[in-house]
Amino acid sequence: MESAPAAFVGLVCALFGAALLLWTVIRTGQRRPVVAPTEHVSPSGAALIAAVAGLALTVTGGWLLLGL
């Protein structure tokens, strides 16, 4: 009973994390900003934060799926 919600959350986290990583890599490869230009966020800092968040979500989703 508890494995169905964990599988759903694991799948969502893994897919969203992988998509975020892919999007970040494509945007930085094209030398385009990851976020809208603002005064308080540097483009390299935003790319780093997005990459770390994508990696964390992908790892968390994998951990949830493998723990079933």
Side-chain angles (χ1 to χ4, degrees):
M1 186 73 159
E2 294 175 359
S3 64
F8 176 73
V9 171
L11 184 64
V12 168
C13 283
L15 287 176
F16 182 74
L20 181 60
L21 274 174
L22 179 67
W23 181 77
T24 304
V25 167
I26 289 171
R27 293 286 289 193
T28 55
Q30 296 173 345
R31 302 220 186 267
R32 297 177 68 191
V34 176
V35 296
T38 63
E39 297 176 11
H40 305 292
V41 179
S42 68
S44 60
L48 179 65
I49 291 171
V52 168
L55 183 63
L57 281 169
T58 304
V59 168
T60 302
W63 176 70
L64 285 171
L65 287 173
L66 292 176
L68 296 176

